[in-house]
Amino acid sequence: MTAPTNPYNRIALLASDTERAQEAYKALSPQQDWAPLEEADVVVVLGGDGFMLQTLHAMLDSGRIIPAYGMNLGTVGFLMNRYDKRANIAKRLAKAHRKSIAPLRMEATTQTGETQSLCAINEVSLLRETRQTAWIEVTVGDRVRIRKLICDGVLVSTPAGSTAYNLSANGPILPLDSEVLALTPISPFRPRRWRGAILPDRMHIKLRVLDPDKRPVAAVADQKELRDIAEVSLEIARDTELELLFDPGQSLEERIVSEQFVVD
């Protein structure tokens, strides 16, 4: 059988600043001449999910998006592949499968009228800034669905992020190809029995903060926070797809399915 041909000529190698990731970087560095990230066809990311998100966001900010192959040297490693210091990186890349994911785009307006656009690969969450509960109006499509959600916060998760904060907030795990989003309340008080909603990802979502002077709210898009929010509008950024690479049998779809059968 003929070995698969590596489709990538220029490979970049990045590592987080943790001790384990830096040791892995030293172990893998002699394998080949690594390209600078700005000239690479693909990037190998050493670290955990947080560092992978940081790398993907750097691509979004720069406007230059290339496939990313992660090797887990963090904790969960949901977006990563298994690390093996003996592995031949070029061979693993040649066998890897691609998976495209589209981030959420958040258009946020602050109480002072400033606007900012941020992307989230996992989720956008609105969180109370003080001991007071947040009051949030929820609009989906062209209709107000909840006039006053009283809660610690609310989040909108992509399928890729559904096993992260969303799952911790008792939100649903979403198959990667489901084309839906999870709208999940965080410690809801009213409506008391509302557990959230699963929404088609083509729908526009708007979250408006009520009584912001007494009950200020922050918005967090993955790792970036904006404070004193007036409202946020959310939709899938279909013009900005990212590509993750996974070893055979280790796809993101399989991990999402497997996570639903984990018993503590």
Side-chain angles (χ1 to χ4, degrees):
M1 182 180 294
T2 304
T5 303
N6 186 4
Y8 308 109
N9 295 318
R10 296 165 296 177
I11 306 171
L13 183 65
L14 298 181
S16 71
D17 57 5
T18 66
E19 184 177 347
R20 289 182 66 205
Q22 288 299 313
E23 288 176 356
Y25 184 88
K26 291 177 183 177
L28 296 175
S29 289
Q31 282 198 16
Q32 64 181 69
D33 292 328
W34 303 97
L37 180 61
E38 59 272 14
E39 299 175 7
D41 304 314
V42 64
V43 58
V44 175
V45 181
L46 306 176
D49 287 332
F51 187 62
M52 173 60 85
L53 288 176
Q54 180 181 327
T55 302
L56 295 174
H57 276 288
M59 291 186 199
L60 290 172
D61 292 342
S62 70
R64 185 173 186 273
I65 297 172
I66 58 176
Y69 177 88
M71 299 184 77
N72 186 32
L73 290 143
T75 50
V76 178
F78 192 76
L79 301 175
M80 317 297 278
N81 297 282
R82 179 179 56 85
Y83 171 68
D84 183 349
K85 65 181 179 182
R86 300 165 296 180
N88 183 297
I89 296 296
K91 289 182 179 179
R92 287 180 77 163
L93 289 176
K95 296 178 181 179
H97 301 302
R98 294 189 181 204
K99 186 62 191 180
S100 296
I101 58 174
L104 270 174
R105 179 175 289 119
M106 174 181 76
E107 301 289 341
T109 304
T110 67
Q111 293 297 327
T112 59
E114 298 176 6
T115 61
Q116 189 166 348
S117 178
L118 295 173
C119 281
I121 298 159
N122 276 358
E123 78 280 318
V124 168
S125 53
L126 268 61
L127 305 167
R128 63 187 176 101
E129 293 180 7
T130 68
R131 61 184 178 83
Q132 298 285 353
T133 56
W135 290 2
I136 298 171
E137 179 188 79
V138 178
T139 299
V140 177
D142 57 358
R143 292 177 56 188
V144 175
R145 309 289 175 163
I146 300 179
R147 295 199 176 278
K148 185 189 291 185
L149 173 62
I150 302 175
C151 56
D152 281 354
V154 63
L155 65 86
V156 179
S157 171
T158 67
S162 66
T163 59
Y165 190 10
N166 172 70
L167 182 60
S168 298
N170 297 314
I173 294 176
L174 306 175
L176 205 59
D177 58 356
S178 60
E179 298 184 345
V180 296
L181 300 170
L183 175 62
T184 303
I186 303 168
S187 301
F189 180 69
R190 291 283 189 277
R192 187 177 293 277
R193 291 182 175 82
W194 188 62
R195 299 288 298 274
I198 297 174
L199 306 172
D201 68 2
R202 65 182 179 275
M203 299 201 79
H204 182 86
I205 301 167
K206 184 168 76 172
L207 304 171
R208 186 169 69 91
V209 178
L210 308 175
D211 196 10
D213 292 335
K214 183 178 180 181
R215 305 170 186 276
V217 170
V220 182
D222 285 347
Q223 301 161 334
K224 297 182 180 179
E225 181 185 55
L226 298 174
R227 296 183 71 81
D228 299 331
I229 292 297
E231 68 177 36
V232 301
S233 295
L234 301 165
E235 61 184 357
I236 288 290
R238 301 191 185 279
D239 58 339
T240 312
E241 286 196 337
L242 298 159
E243 284 194 326
L244 296 176
L245 300 176
F246 293 98
D247 293 331
Q250 298 296 315
S251 69
L252 196 52
E253 290 102 329
E254 173 59 29
R255 295 180 189 202
I256 287 173
V257 172
S258 297
E259 189 68 27
Q260 298 176 77
F261 296 90
V262 172
V263 179
D264 293 332

